[in-house]
Amino acid sequence: MAWLNNSILEDMGYFSDIYQGIKSLLTGMSITGKYFLNFRKGSITQQYPENRETLKMFERFRGEVIMPHDENNEHRCTGCQACEIACPNGSIEIIWDRQLDEESGKKKKMIDKHIYHLGMCTMCGLCIEACPTDAIKWGQNFENSVYDRKYLDRVLNKPGSKLMKGVEE
Amino acid sequence: MEPIVVNNNFKSEEYFINMGPQHPATHGVLRLLLTIDGEIIKKVEPDLGYIHRSIEKMCERDSYQQIVHLTDRMDYLSSNINNEAVCLAVENALQLEVPERVKVVRTIIGELTRIASHTLWWGVTGMDVGAFTTFFYGFRDREMINDIFEETCGARLTMNYNIPGGLMFDIHPNFVKRTKEFVAHFKTKLPEYDALLTNNVIFQHRTKGVGVLTKEDAISFGASGPVGRASGYSCDVRVHHPYSALDKVKFKEAIRTEGDTFARYKVRIQEMWESLSIIEQLIDNIPEGDHKVATNAVIKLPKGEFYQRVETARGELGVYIISTGTKNAHRVKFRSPGFSNLSLLNHISVGSKIGDLVAIMATLDLVIPDIDR
Ligand code: SF4
Ligand code: SF4
């Protein structure tokens, strides 16, 4: 009769395995089932292109480097090139020359073009940290796909813009 | 008529197959050259270099502030901890004492990074062994941490938040509130992880006894992180060489002795609990103070050699800087955890099946840019 006892014992192990297996599967399914029934609660999926109007990025979000201009088309960039030196990968190029300053009558270093290559930028933030006059800051725009790479090279200072008064002091 | 003789003496032959570089289970551009006999693995040879960007060479070109953001791109899931490693190395070399606030914030953010990395790992591990649900559940919880990071650092993956001397800017006013919310939320979710995957009978059959690594082998292969600790090798840098505010907190090093795939899995689950406890100990009393100490605009390290190690989500990351006293490093070397952990893949997977290799790869938790650099 020994063979019978053995096989029964083995069978018991076999059945308890099946029982344990089904139990563990049902435990897992009860969790997914709970979420399935409460699908409105705690759903974090965003319907992205539809929610564009309401989608607001965090204020510190690093989308792209921008140079804010005020209503008189004036910016705060003195052309000191600190951002160009801080940038690890040459995404910023400053083209400057000496222009006649009307007030003092002397020739002064002035920015001609602040060129920003968005395609090369790694969003490290070192340029913005380096700028002594807070002339550049982060923009929240993240929809940067374009049809040609050349559109990613931007001139940040607007045409005809001037240095804001009182920045250099 | 001649009888047709059927040759029944099938001789199995070893053959050779590529896994990767675009295989989803390799989690990146890793190419494995498998020598297999039927389904049985005879040899695994990793072929590296598909995402090599010569980060170490670039570190010789860039200033010390600029090096930091390159380390984001090594083990991108532990980017904050990588940043911290470089910053600590530079600060040690300059003998710069950072404010207490910086130390505490760095530790909290490091542990959040570890949880974020482990939740992602948990999701993809489940997916690798055939449970798709875990992927979404893991990403759901990681999303909360990413939001904390996005609000404070501005980025979700490549933070570059640590700078030599402190933090780039102070933590966001919402940081403490959000972190507490996350800790409360995640404490209810971790038991779900166990019920969904850990106790699942199919998962246990796929992982128990698979890819066993002994303690001796773990030490001789230089395994670190959860891979080493699952084999009973106490190698947590946070315990043995505490940095930042880690000497102020109490936590248990997660150690198991089985050394198999399931043990590596359990170690990471345990680590998430420990990270939660570290965050809880620190979050209520972040000291007031500055978020950085001023450094020179051009940082010049004194002449000499400097080494700093930290515990990333994958193991021990070492930063080794040789300086000749100029504004650039003479040589920078990273000891990355993924590289050493990959080296033992052949050792533990010979003799198992291809399906087991996927499970082993999942719990080694390799990040390929960390290996190639
Ligand atoms: S964010 Fe970094 S990479 Fe981009 S322009 Fe500024 S310094 Fe250069
Ligand atoms: S943006 Fe700032 S750092 Fe760059 S040139 Fe202008 S003032 Fe200097």
Side-chain angles (χ1 to χ4, degrees):
Chain A
M1 293 300 271
W3 60 273
L4 190 65
N5 285 345
N6 270 349
S7 78
I8 285 177
L9 282 179
E10 269 167 30
D11 278 358
M12 298 275 282
Y14 179 72
F15 285 120
S16 78
D17 269 3
I18 292 182
Y19 171 72
Q20 291 295 342
I22 290 178
K23 197 177 137 204
S24 82
L25 293 182
L26 287 179
T27 322
M29 277 174 77
S30 72
I31 288 173
T32 44
K34 205 175 75 202
Y35 280 109
F36 178 67
L37 294 176
N38 302 315
F39 65 95
R40 284 189 204 285
K41 215 168 65 190
S43 156
I44 60 158
T45 315
Q46 297 188 5
Q47 301 296 332
Y48 161 56
E50 286 85 25
N51 73 347
R52 263 165 124 175
E53 263 78 67
T54 52
L55 181 68
K56 200 172 163 298
M57 306 309 284
F58 290 114
E59 65 212 59
R60 291 183 186 175
F61 176 71
R62 302 179 186 172
E64 56 181 345
V65 175
I66 54 169
M67 184 182 285
H69 287 61
D70 68 359
E71 58 278 7
N72 304 329
N73 203 10
E74 289 175 340
H75 55 73
R76 300 174 62 86
C77 175
T78 56
C80 70
Q81 291 179 293
C83 53
E84 190 178 10
I85 295 164
C87 181
N89 44 35
S91 301
I92 292 182
E93 273 175 70
I94 310 279
I95 299 178
W96 56 272
D97 53 9
R98 293 195 190 280
Q99 288 169 2
L100 196 67
D101 188 27
E102 281 140 23
E103 276 178 24
S104 58
K106 273 192 238 137
K107 280 207 165 176
K108 229 175 64 179
K109 188 172 173 179
M110 290 252 188
I111 174 177
D112 183 23
K113 274 185 186 153
H114 186 299
I115 302 172
Y116 169 53
H117 302 282
L118 175 60
M120 280 176 0
C121 176
T122 54
M123 311 293 166
C124 67
L126 292 175
C127 53
I128 290 168
E129 282 300 295
C131 180
T133 54
D134 294 332
I136 43 178
K137 65 184 197 66
W138 284 115
Q140 260 83 7
N141 175 33
F142 59 91
E143 294 166 326
N144 285 322
S145 61
V146 286
Y147 282 105
D148 196 298
R149 203 171 61 181
K150 67 172 184 272
Y151 299 119
L152 292 175
D153 300 338
R154 297 175 180 172
V155 179
L156 291 189
N157 55 326
K158 291 190 186 151
S161 60
K162 281 212 310 282
L163 176 63
M164 215 178 275
K165 284 213 169 54
V167 169
E168 272 164 308
E169 276 84 58
Chain B
M1 212 167 78
E2 287 276 306
I4 301 164
V5 179
V6 182
N7 183 7
N8 274 336
N9 293 340
F10 287 122
K11 214 169 83 241
S12 71
E13 225 172 76
E14 286 186 2
Y15 66 105
F16 163 84
I17 196 170
N18 269 315
M19 186 166 165
Q22 274 101 8
H23 194 282
T26 59
H27 297 189
V29 278
L30 174 67
R31 177 174 169 221
L32 297 176
L33 310 171
L34 308 183
T35 311
I36 50 179
D37 183 357
E39 273 273 306
I40 314 282
I41 293 168
K42 297 281 176 199
K43 197 160 136 207
V44 184
E45 283 174 283
D47 181 20
L48 306 176
Y50 286 90
I51 191 161
H52 182 75
R53 294 142 299 168
S54 59
I55 283 185
E56 289 177 4
K57 186 73 194 166
M58 279 197 257
C59 290
E60 294 169 20
R61 177 200 68 185
D62 287 351
S63 75
Y64 289 105
Q65 288 101 325
Q66 292 171 343
I67 287 178
V68 178
H69 95 292
L70 293 173
T71 61
D72 280 339
R73 284 141 183 93
M74 288 172 9
D75 175 1
Y76 45 79
L77 293 177
S78 318
S79 52
N80 263 320
I81 313 180
N82 298 347
N83 294 170
E84 191 179 346
V86 177
C87 294
L88 287 173
V90 173
E91 284 155 13
N92 286 351
L94 293 174
Q95 308 205 324
L96 202 70
E97 185 63 28
V98 295
E100 283 300 308
R101 185 182 179 81
V102 174
K103 290 185 184 173
V104 171
V105 171
R106 276 182 179 172
T107 306
I108 294 174
I109 286 202
E111 294 311 309
L112 282 175
T113 310
R114 194 181 316 279
I115 296 176
S117 169
H118 283 355
T119 46
L120 188 141
W121 155 83
W122 180 78
V124 293
T125 297
M127 202 168 70
D128 281 351
V129 297
F132 207 89
T133 317
T134 59
F135 188 72
F136 297 110
Y137 287 21
F139 267 74
R140 170 199 62 194
D141 300 331
R142 182 169 173 267
E143 186 66 23
M144 285 185 81
I145 304 182
N146 274 353
D147 278 348
I148 296 174
F149 286 158
E150 195 180 336
E151 197 171 37
T152 284
C153 323
R156 298 164 67 83
L157 198 65
T158 52
M159 320 294 179
N160 195 30
Y161 181 51
N162 286 295
I163 54 170
L167 306 167
M168 199 177 255
F169 20 74
D170 205 359
I171 52 172
H172 195 272
N174 286 344
F175 177 79
V176 175
K177 189 178 116 249
R178 272 182 188 267
T179 308
K180 280 184 182 163
E181 271 170 20
F182 169 76
V183 171
H185 164 89
F186 198 54
K187 274 191 169 165
T188 63
K189 297 301 171 200
L190 261 174
E192 278 187 4
Y193 284 23
D194 282 344
L196 257 181
L197 194 61
T198 318
N199 300 332
N200 185 294
V201 60
I202 303 171
F203 180 72
Q204 295 207 356
H205 279 232
R206 293 256 344 235
T207 50
K208 277 193 175 156
V210 172
V212 179
L213 176 74
T214 61
K215 185 177 175 182
E216 288 70 37
D217 288 337
I219 293 172
S220 58
F221 276 106
S224 58
V227 178
R229 289 197 282 284
S231 304
Y233 168 34
S234 163
C235 56
D236 199 328
V237 180
R238 292 176 295 165
V239 174
H240 297 289
H241 307 274
Y243 50 92
S244 293
L246 282 165
D247 48 354
K248 287 196 216 55
V249 292
K250 285 199 184 65
F251 68 101
K252 261 205 2 260
E253 186 179 2
I255 288 193
R256 290 181 84 84
T257 47
E258 298 91 340
D260 59 356
T261 303
F262 191 65
R264 291 192 279 276
Y265 173 89
K266 287 288 273 183
V267 163
R268 290 204 179 86
I269 296 279
Q270 180 64 28
E271 270 194 15
M272 288 198 253
W273 283 110
E274 299 300 337
S275 295
L276 282 181
S277 118
I278 295 176
I279 296 170
E280 276 187 327
Q281 291 172 46
L282 294 174
I283 192 71
D284 275 322
N285 29 32
I286 302 178
E288 294 298 316
D290 282 341
H291 62 276
K292 64 176 171 191
V293 283
T295 52
N296 293 342
V298 178
I299 294 182
K300 284 184 184 168
L301 293 202
K303 210 171 164 187
E305 301 177 6
F306 308 99
Y307 188 71
Q308 174 69 41
R309 44 167 125 183
V310 296
E311 179 83 15
T312 72
R314 266 150 211 82
E316 177 181 333
L317 172 79
V319 179
Y320 180 48
I321 300 177
I322 302 178
S323 162
T324 49
T326 58
K327 65 183 172 48
N328 301 104
H330 178 66
R331 173 84 170 91
V332 177
K333 164 94 182 98
F334 295 108
R335 181 255 185 243
S336 71
F339 192 79
S340 316
N341 290 352
L342 175 68
S343 69
L344 51 83
L345 179 64
N346 179 47
H347 182 73
I348 60 175
S349 48
V350 166
S352 48
K353 305 254 165 51
I354 292 187
D356 295 338
L357 179 67
V358 173
I360 293 171
M361 289 277 299
T363 50
L364 284 187
D365 194 16
L366 303 169
V367 163
I368 313 306
D370 184 37
I371 296 166
D372 274 348
R373 298 196 288 284

